[in-house]
Amino acid sequence: MISSKQPVLAIDFDGTIVDDKYPAIGKPKLFAFETLKRLQEKGFTLILWTYRSGRSLQEAVEFCRQEGIEFYAVNKSYTEEDYSEDISRKINADVFIDDRNVGGFIGWGAIYRELLGEDEELRQLKSKKKYFFESIFKRDK
């Protein structure tokens, strides 16, 4: 059972995690795996929610596994769920990340900022840069 206080995310594969080359596997989208790893570290539950099935689904799951992402569930709401015609195919998730959103795919950087806000490490780096440039300008005066 899901115990995370963070939202459950249903994430599409083709066109979202990787470039859409279905049935082949496209190149990873910029920052996709880095963002997914950070989301898992922060306690988000990740569900792979994709059109793929059979062998092409197994290839996508293995590709993600090799990139360091292990999903809580694949094409179902929880790991123990058995598919039948009596169960809705809609995944029980709080947020759906898909390239077919209204307005298109917003990119993993925007998703990161939307779900996690600005990273503390990034804030510190920006602060250091600001101090560095301020000190250079003060020396020039």
Side-chain angles (χ1 to χ4, degrees), residues 8 18 21 26 62 64-66 68 77 86 92 98 101 107-108 113 116 124 130:
V8 174
V18 299
K21 301 288 183 192
E62 184 56 32
C64 292
R65 188 174 289 129
Q66 290 173 0
S77 297
D86 300 333
N92 183 19
D98 194 311
N101 294 325
W108 286 101
R113 287 186 300 279
L116 293 172
Q124 289 176 358
K130 182 179 177 187

Side-chain angles (χ1 to χ4, degrees), residues 125-140:
L125 181 61
K126 283 182 178 180
S127 177
K128 287 178 184 177
K129 278 186 178 178
K130 182 179 177 187
Y131 175 76
F132 173 76
F133 287 112
E134 284 176 353
S135 65
I136 288 174
F137 291 123
K138 285 179 184 176
R139 280 187 259 154
D140 290 343

Side-chain angles (χ1 to χ4, degrees), residues 16-47:
T16 304
I17 296 175
V18 299
D19 292 337
D20 191 353
K21 301 288 183 192
Y22 182 82
I25 294 178
K27 279 186 359 187
K29 291 279 197 182
L30 186 62
F31 302 125
F33 286 105
E34 295 86 350
T35 303
L36 292 170
K37 288 174 190 173
R38 183 58 68 98
L39 290 169
Q40 280 188 323
E41 290 167 5
K42 297 289 186 179
F44 287 80
T45 299
L46 308 183
I47 295 174

Side-chain angles (χ1 to χ4, degrees), residues 9 15 25 32 43 50 59 61 74 81 84 87-88 92 94 96 101 104-105 108 116 123 138 141:
L9 309 178
I25 294 178
T50 178
E59 290 170 349
V61 169
V74 177
E81 181 181 22
S84 79
I87 298 173
S88 169
N92 183 19
D94 301 304
F96 292 79
N101 294 325
F105 184 64
W108 286 101
L116 293 172
R123 276 196 296 275
K138 285 179 184 176
K141 289 183 179 181

